[in-house]
Amino acid sequence: MFLRPKVLSFFIFLLTHVSVAQVRVTTELSNNWKFRKGESTTAHQPDFNDRKWETVTVPHDWAIYGPFDKEIDKQVVAIEQNGEKVATEKTGRTGSLPYIGEGWYRNTFTLPHYKPGQKVLLVFEGAMSEPNVFLNGEKVGEWNYGYSYFYFDISKQIAAGKENTLAVQLSNQGLSSRWYPGAGLYRKVQLVVKNQESIDQWGTYITTPFISAEVAKVNIKTSVSGANTRLVTHILNAAGDTVASDKTQSLFGNKFEQNIAVNNPKLWSPETPYLYTAVTQLFVANTLKDETSTRFGIREISYKAEVGFSLNGKVRKFKGVCLHHDLGPLGAAVNKAALRRQLQILKDMGCDAVRSSHNMPSIEQLELCDEMGFMFLAETFDEWAKPKVKNGYNRFFETDAEKDIINLVHATRNHPSIVMWSSGNEVPDQHGSEGAKRARWLQEIFHREDPTRPVTVGMDQVKATMQSGFGAVLDIPGLNYRTHLYEDAYKAFPQGLILGSETGSTVSSRGVYKFPVEKGIGKTYDDHQTSSYDLEYCSWSNLPEDDFILQDTRPWVIGQFVWTGFDYLGEPTPYDNFWPSRSSYFGINDLAGLPKDRYYLYRSQWNTTDETLHVLPHWNWKGREGQTTPVFVYTNYDKAELFINGKSMGIQRKNDSSLLHRYRLMWMDVKYEPGTVKVVAYDKDGKPAAEKTMVTAGEPYKIILEPDRSQIAADGKDISFVTVSVVDKNGNPCPTATNQLKFRVSGNGSYRAACNGDASSLEQFHLPAMKLFSGKLVVLVQSSETPGAIKLSVQGKKLKSAEVQLKSE
């Protein structure tokens, strides 16, 4: 886990949040940054005049503000990993947002808490990309990989008792990513001031090598700097009570090792994400020199041939999703409220695992997964030595891969949520013996730095990996799609298990339905949408049912990570050669975080505690009277009866006549007539157990506002996500409404962004106006640092306006 000091007090310094412990001070440099996009040869100098630059808050993504422009990422290319042989013009591949180019950030700070001779670190959790870092006009370091954690010791460059000037130059090249990478200081920047005798950055490593009902052995290795030191560690439970302690003076090299018994341990799992805290204190004689706090979980993971994956001794399968790092209308800029909302939506769906695709995760995401109970597959690279894109990670692989992996592992290894590492995704190196050697080399780095977790690679060239030995090298063979090769891979590879490292890639647009209702590969339509009957997918991928059956019937399939949990910016397949389309259609939820129909299909299989009964399509089909309009039901019940205007359309039961019938209830011959659709689900005894009704709506009449939270924190970062929809005079939702709306926020908050989930929309997120898409959109209201009331008002022509009161404190 990323080390954080024990917080003893808080104060505001230069409008920057600071956490203070007795002997170390960690300052987050968030406010009062100056930013400008463009080249400069002198912006690193302390006396550079930046008064006309934009003032921004970090994390910051300079590109998300647009505008969208097809020329930004227009390419003529054949996408080899998608099986394309002929080059065609592609647009929207990286979101059509202006991320390419150079940008500069500047900030000034003093260190009133600094004492001569102390150590000062400058810590970045990601910077997009290729940062060059300057302090007081002197270059202190550089890094290449935009997703990597890194830090510099700036003790020699610090001006004690004076104002220091920090400058960061970032440069994003074109053809450097296969999706929207974001741009800028999109993750936290921190200053750490501590004594020379101190615990090293990311220097604590906690494992739990023995666990029983009575006791758990907690092994803690602590790397330190300084001589004649001794270490005291206290383990606190979730309530903050000390449950175990240990002290040692036995230093091996620069490392202490402690084995501490925790009696009657409470184990971490997705169902019970219990967290302990290790408070580590470093002394010289009786003087406290450093103190850090590290959260961890007590849990046991196991991967065994023919048995599969076990957590705390119980076999289970990953019900996971892949997530890109962007947060829709917020872009790549990390925001904990947005990440928490995503995970809450996934939790309700029954999801229990996340794969960071195809990059290193943010610390905030891992912290939330620890707290909320998600297992995590932490990934590193989308490229190794062989390129997918001209200016991708292939330029740095040979020189940087090892140090990037080391920093990933050291910064995140104490997170109990992480249960597996991934060293790559669909790398072209899958072919030939050189690729197998690279796979082994990377895996050995992971093993050296963290022997407790296995390593996988998402493989799409499965036949090639059987021949080259690539797949046999891995701890866990990960298959991206290729469901027809699972049996062959299981027989060919020696591990005795297979992970669905990337599955699904079914495409759909929320609330959009196409006729006739039939399976379709790569289908396109004039409106640049895809059908939410969930029967359309890509040439390399498949429907959800193809993965469900493998999970249900093959004990050696240890689970899946669906592509993707949420839509993301870029990769607008199947419309990457049709403009305008600038974001994906793969998501179970759309770019605004609104569930698509497919969400309820997965929920009916994955959420085993709550009722699911979902009906599609909507029932507003003016002009389709008398035409065949199939009705689908996604439910955890085995059978249901459909009624149209009170007339029964019969009972459908889940059965094994086809994969679709095994997991969906479908009435394929329904003729559309306006009115009321009702579905009654029956329990195993044949008694009515649940009911869902849908009514044909009239004209849009009134705006409805539904915040996910009415009370948020007055920290200048927290966000309430307000779902905006319209209803008719009788209160029925209008599922086809496309009204243009305007937003206004007053009080102690501000309008942050809006998103409607339409992948073909070119409306800019940060402007306070947007059209509804399929009757809905989401407005993001952000707090200020002043507590108080916040009001969101929404208006639209010929609609009754609405407002909602929020509160920050």
Side-chain angles (χ1 to χ4, degrees):
M1 178 178 179
F2 181 74
L3 299 181
R4 293 183 181 275
K6 182 179 180 183
V7 178
L8 301 178
S9 63
F10 292 88
F11 66 91
I12 302 299
F13 163 64
L14 293 177
L15 299 181
T16 299
H17 297 288
V18 180
S19 300
V20 185
Q22 284 180 310
V23 287
R24 78 160 53 196
V25 178
T26 298
T27 304
E28 182 177 343
L29 295 176
S30 56
N31 295 336
N32 292 332
W33 284 89
K34 290 291 188 177
F35 166 75
R36 192 193 72 175
K37 186 177 179 183
E39 297 181 2
S40 175
T41 58
T42 57
H44 64 290
Q45 297 292 348
D47 58 355
F48 181 85
N49 187 350
D50 59 15
R51 282 179 293 179
K52 293 184 179 180
W53 286 19
E54 182 183 0
T55 301
V56 300
T57 299
V58 169
H60 177 251
D61 178 357
W62 82 56
I64 192 60
Y65 302 97
F68 297 102
D69 184 348
K70 71 175 290 187
E71 299 300 322
I72 288 172
D73 50 15
K74 186 169 70 175
Q75 306 171 24
V76 179
V77 63
I79 305 171
E80 293 182 11
Q81 63 266 29
N82 293 356
E84 295 181 0
K85 304 297 184 183
V86 179
T88 58
E89 181 180 283
K90 302 291 195 300
T91 56
R93 293 265 292 150
T94 53
S96 297
L97 288 164
Y99 76 96
I100 298 170
E102 185 174 309
W104 280 87
Y105 291 83
R106 288 171 52 87
N107 205 340
T108 58
F109 61 90
T110 58
L111 296 177
H113 42 274
Y114 174 80
K115 299 176 183 178
Q118 285 188 305
K119 186 179 294 187
V120 184
L121 304 182
L122 179 61
V123 184
F124 294 81
E125 294 182 5
M128 195 63 69
S129 56
E130 301 181 46
N132 288 284
V133 181
F134 303 85
L135 186 65
N136 299 327
E138 181 181 345
K139 185 173 180 178
V140 297
E142 62 185 54
W143 208 264
N144 288 319
Y145 192 33
Y147 294 107
S148 189
Y149 321 97
F150 60 96
Y151 66 92
F152 303 118
D153 187 332
I154 56 173
S155 307
K156 295 180 180 179
Q157 290 85 9
I158 280 290
K162 299 180 181 179
E163 186 174 77
N164 292 269
T165 300
L166 174 63
V168 183
Q169 176 201 34
L170 296 161
S171 180
N172 282 340
Q173 297 192 38
L175 301 178
S176 60
S177 179
R178 296 193 300 119
W179 56 85
Y180 176 69
L185 295 176
Y186 71 106
R187 292 181 180 169
K188 285 202 299 283
V189 180
Q190 295 175 305
L191 285 167
V192 179
V193 180
K194 58 182 183 175
N195 293 315
Q196 290 294 331
E197 304 92 343
S198 59
I199 298 162
D200 292 350
Q201 181 69 13
W202 309 322
T204 302
Y205 179 30
I206 302 178
T207 59
T208 53
F210 175 81
I211 300 172
S212 70
E214 294 75 29
V215 66
K217 176 182 176 181
V218 178
N219 179 269
I220 305 179
K221 296 180 177 69
T222 308
S223 299
V224 302
S225 298
N228 303 314
T229 56
R230 63 184 177 91
L231 199 71
V232 177
T233 298
H234 304 285
I235 295 180
L236 282 55
N237 63 16
D241 301 320
T242 300
V243 296
S245 297
D246 183 74
K247 58 184 177 181
T248 180
Q249 289 179 280
S250 300
L251 189 63
F252 300 93
N254 71 325
K255 192 171 296 182
F256 289 104
E257 182 167 0
Q258 297 169 290
N259 288 297
I260 307 175
V262 174
N263 294 322
N264 305 311
K266 295 185 178 180
L267 305 189
W268 185 95
S269 73
E271 293 72 32
T272 58
Y274 193 90
L275 296 172
Y276 291 86
T277 301
V279 179
T280 305
Q281 297 174 316
L282 186 71
F283 291 86
V284 173
N286 292 320
T287 301
L288 179 65
K289 289 294 185 178
D290 199 8
E291 178 178 304
T292 63
S293 295
T294 307
R295 282 199 318 181
F296 69 98
I298 297 176
R299 57 106 178 102
E300 180 184 39
I301 58 173
S302 171
Y303 299 80
K304 294 181 180 178
E306 316 307 330
V307 175
F309 168 69
S310 298
L311 177 67
N312 301 326
K314 296 180 180 179
V315 176
R316 61 188 297 159
K317 299 197 176 192
F318 295 109
K319 298 183 289 187
V321 299
C322 300
L323 292 180
H324 263 319
H325 73 302
D326 79 68
L327 294 169
L330 296 175
V334 167
N335 180 276
K336 204 160 187 175
L339 289 166
R340 183 183 291 108
R341 174 178 177 252
Q342 281 192 342
L343 293 174
Q344 287 170 335
I345 291 168
L346 293 174
K347 197 77 171 180
D348 180 70
M349 188 178 73
C351 173
D352 65 8
V354 171
R355 174 190 179 210
S356 61
S357 313
H358 303 291
N359 47 262
M360 300 175 179
S362 67
I363 297 298
E364 290 86 348
Q365 187 179 39
L366 293 174
E367 289 173 342
L368 287 168
C369 286
D370 291 343
E371 296 168 12
M372 299 174 69
F374 286 87
M375 297 175 289
F376 206 93
L377 172 50
E379 196 152 89
T380 48
F381 313 121
D382 189 51
E383 282 185 2
W384 292 351
K386 293 185 178 180
K388 293 181 186 177
V389 289
K390 178 182 177 182
N391 296 315
Y393 189 73
N394 65 88
R395 293 181 293 145
F396 314 120
F397 177 78
E398 297 292 350
T399 57
D400 290 12
E402 182 169 7
K403 69 177 185 178
D404 284 333
I405 290 174
I406 290 172
N407 280 14
L408 166 67
V409 174
H410 288 194
T412 68
R413 59 192 172 186
N414 296 315
H415 289 277
S417 54
I418 297 180
V419 296
M420 195 186 312
W421 305 109
S422 169
S423 62
N425 170 70
E426 296 183 1
V427 293
D429 314 65
Q430 290 168 85
H431 299 270
S433 61
E434 281 301 312
K437 291 176 183 177
R438 290 184 187 119
R440 182 182 294 278
W441 174 64
L442 294 172
Q443 185 166 271
E444 287 174 350
I445 298 170
F446 276 107
H447 288 172
R448 183 189 71 209
E449 303 301 324
D450 174 29
T452 71
R453 298 176 176 94
V455 181
T456 189
V457 171
M459 301 182 294
D460 62 330
Q461 302 300 313
V462 180
K463 290 184 178 179
T465 63
M466 293 181 194
Q467 297 169 358
S468 67
F470 186 105
V473 165
L474 305 174
D475 295 330
I476 308 292
L479 268 60
N480 286 7
Y481 317 107
R482 312 304 190 264
T483 54
H484 63 288
L485 293 175
Y486 268 52
E487 294 280 355
D488 292 341
Y490 167 64
K491 294 174 184 176
F493 297 146
Q495 295 90 338
L497 47 78
I498 297 289
L499 171 68
S501 46
E502 192 168 312
T503 65
S505 273
T506 308
V507 293
S508 61
S509 300
R510 178 182 54 80
V512 176
Y513 307 91
K514 301 297 185 181
F515 304 97
V517 178
E518 57 190 11
K519 287 186 181 181
I521 299 176
K523 294 189 72 172
T524 58
Y525 304 91
D526 291 341
D527 62 357
H528 290 203
Q529 305 299 338
T530 55
S531 179
S532 202
Y533 273 106
D534 299 323
L535 291 173
E536 297 179 2
Y537 52 101
C538 304
S539 59
W540 70 87
S541 62
N542 51 268
L543 298 180
E545 285 82 357
D546 294 312
D547 297 302
F548 287 154
I549 194 68
L550 286 167
Q551 317 299 315
D552 291 348
T553 63
R554 303 294 190 273
W556 42 266
V557 176
I558 65 173
Q560 64 167 316
F561 289 86
V562 182
W563 192 262
T564 52
F566 292 80
D567 279 335
Y568 55 92
L569 292 162
E571 291 191 313
T573 309
Y575 292 104
D576 53 6
N577 54 356
F578 297 86
W579 179 259
S581 284
R582 46 61 173 165
S583 58
S584 77
Y585 298 79
F586 297 119
I588 294 170
N589 301 275
D590 71 14
L591 198 69
L594 296 171
K596 303 180 186 179
D597 292 290
R598 198 161 10 114
Y599 175 92
Y600 300 96
L601 178 59
Y602 282 98
R603 191 180 193 273
S604 71
Q605 299 303 309
W606 286 1
N607 186 330
T608 58
T609 58
D610 299 317
E611 175 183 283
T612 299
L613 183 60
H614 178 74
V615 186
L616 65 131
H618 62 70
W619 212 241
N620 273 52
W621 295 105
K622 186 176 182 180
R624 284 193 62 81
E625 290 80 4
Q627 295 185 47
T628 299
T629 307
V631 174
F632 288 7
V633 169
Y634 300 154
T635 181
N636 55 340
Y637 294 101
D638 288 333
K639 62 180 178 179
E641 187 172 7
L642 174 67
F643 298 87
I644 305 294
N645 292 325
K647 182 181 178 181
S648 175
M649 299 290 107
I651 294 176
Q652 291 288 338
R653 295 175 174 83
K654 293 179 183 177
N655 60 76
D656 293 332
S657 62
S658 72
L659 280 182
L660 292 183
H661 286 93
R662 183 179 175 117
Y663 298 102
R664 313 185 194 200
L665 300 178
M666 301 180 293
W667 290 261
M668 298 301 297
D669 299 323
V670 175
K671 300 294 191 295
Y672 174 69
E673 57 183 71
T676 301
V677 176
K678 184 172 77 170
V679 171
V680 178
Y682 296 99
D683 62 21
K684 293 180 179 179
D685 296 325
K687 297 179 180 179
E691 183 177 302
K692 200 67 168 286
T693 300
M694 184 166 51
V695 177
T696 303
E699 292 298 314
Y701 170 72
K702 182 173 67 172
I703 297 169
I704 301 294
L705 305 180
E706 299 172 280
D708 70 331
R709 291 181 299 147
S710 296
Q711 183 172 307
I712 56 179
D715 60 3
K717 299 177 182 179
D718 206 2
I719 293 175
S720 177
F721 292 79
V722 183
T723 300
V724 182
S725 57
V726 295
V727 296
D728 66 11
K729 288 186 177 181
N730 296 318
N732 298 310
C734 299
T736 61
T738 58
N739 305 67
Q740 181 77 44
L741 304 181
K742 295 182 179 180
F743 322 116
R744 183 174 181 272
V745 176
S746 57
N748 295 315
S750 60
Y751 170 79
R752 181 66 178 84
C755 186
N756 60 15
D758 180 1
S760 67
S761 172
L762 300 183
E763 295 175 285
Q764 292 171 257
F765 302 123
H766 70 289
L767 300 180
M770 187 167 285
K771 287 184 178 180
L772 294 164
F773 176 66
S774 294
K776 292 185 177 183
L777 55 77
V778 175
V779 173
L780 285 65
V781 179
Q782 185 165 307
S783 67
S784 69
E785 294 184 349
T786 303
I790 307 169
K791 183 172 73 173
L792 168 65
S793 303
V794 182
Q795 296 179 325
K797 289 183 179 179
K798 299 182 180 180
L799 291 172
K800 187 175 180 180
S801 60
E803 61 182 45
V804 64
Q805 296 286 340
L806 309 172
K807 184 180 180 181
S808 68
E809 59 180 29

